[in-house]
Amino acid sequence: MKVLVVGGGGREHALAWKLLRDDPSIELIAAPGNPGIAELGRCESVAAHDVAGLLALASRVNPALTIVGPEAPLESGLVDTFRSAGLAVFGPTAAAARIETSKRFAKELMLAAGVPTARARTFTNAHEAKAEAHRLGAPVVIKASGLAAGKGVIVATTITDADDAITMMLEGNAFGAAGHEVLVEEFMSGEEISVFALTDGTHILPMIAAQDHKRIGDGDTGPNTGGMGAYAPVSIETAAVAMAAVNDVFLPTLRAMHEAGAPFTGLLYAGLMLTSNGPKVVEFNCRFGDPETEALLPLMDSSLLDPMLIIANGGSLAGMAPLRWRTGAAVATVVAAGGYPGKVRSGDIITLPGAERDVMVFHAGTSRDGNGSLVTGGGRVFVVTALGANIAAAQRLSSGHAERIQFEGRQLRRDIGWRELARGAGTS
Ligand code: AMP
Ligand code: GLY
């Protein structure tokens, strides 16, 4: 069976790795893939955002399943295009992807469906937006409505910061069209977890929670990044939290998507803030998270391929057994390039240590230079996932291996999972 994976980051490497564990006979094709994925299958140099190029590729290779990793091609309607061509594709339509690509759409849907989330109002006029921020008082959250590569959210601790953020987005064009509509949102305090669910549009198979680490530095200090590491499981996802995620978040959201005429199929990602009033949605994403996926998939015992095939073929997940997970824990440590999350260096020669048991090295931003040497080629270069009996053991193995990956300017955090350890929950 041929499977086409769209994308070329650590998430797509982990997806490819898991699908081949589920069925080693798969013929894997990735577009564009990366040097790590190239060890598992064939990489075609078609960019993930090139919808026409991807359709041409799929028409040529005729995959039984296509999986779309990143959000940009989902926003561009890759799934709509593939479905019209009769191809089985895993991911939401452009209309359904609005749950991530339009924060305004997501917020209005949640508020109408009674899904717990922070109250927010949408503005295109800076004067009105500021008046709302002043009414709410600091801290207050200012969000660009559209996709802004994870940078469109400003948690303003003072009213001056809120005013500046609004000016920058609505008058300064800071995020282009994505920021021409802003949400002024109530601040929520609590700890955040990422919960993913596979869905056919009606039924769900929830995964266990993971926790991302967004800041560049140990102890969650310094600037925000796309994510410097993740771990799973997360002990603050109690049975009650997991139940609330299903009954108060996923199921009513999917019903509302149906009612909005945009049923959501694929992988729905809920970023949940665990507040003193229960879990509340911070954001939805319409695809697997990165680097959470690299922590979760190595822990997943059940087949991922089976539900993906059902969903991509328009089938039903009704009656499927809950997903099974290995005991123990996974820690995924990102190895980033010098300069990240700012302007990054690239083309630095990489030296990799030998393989280690229970360690998976997922390529995220690597490439080959003219001599075929492995070099850096992106902000996040590798994601090193280790399995262990608990978070402490997995963290030691993951950061120890990540430490032995060498290139000029390398950055990594050595404390992924620290909140779990601080709770005394990841040591036994
Ligand atoms: P987002 O891109 O929506 O995930 O937001 C980025 C980050 O901003 C989140 O991971 C949260 O840490 C923070 N954030 C977003 N919305 C809120 C909110 N209403 N209250 C507090 N923090 C928030
Ligand atoms: N880890 C956050 C994201 O994938 O958006």
Side-chain angles (χ1 to χ4, degrees), residues 4 33 75 88 127 173 185 187 227 239 245 282 292 308 367 395-396:
L4 171 62
E75 182 179 42
H127 183 71
N173 204 30
E185 181 167 304
F187 175 81
V282 178
E292 293 97 322
M308 280 186 152
S367 63
Q395 186 199 76
R396 268 195 307 277

Side-chain angles (χ1 to χ4, degrees), residues 212-216 220 223-228 269 283 413:
D212 193 1
H213 296 55
K214 297 248 187 222
R215 305 295 191 103
I216 188 82
D220 290 337
N224 259 320
T225 69
M228 290 299 289
Y269 164 144
E283 61 162 350
R413 281 181 62 166

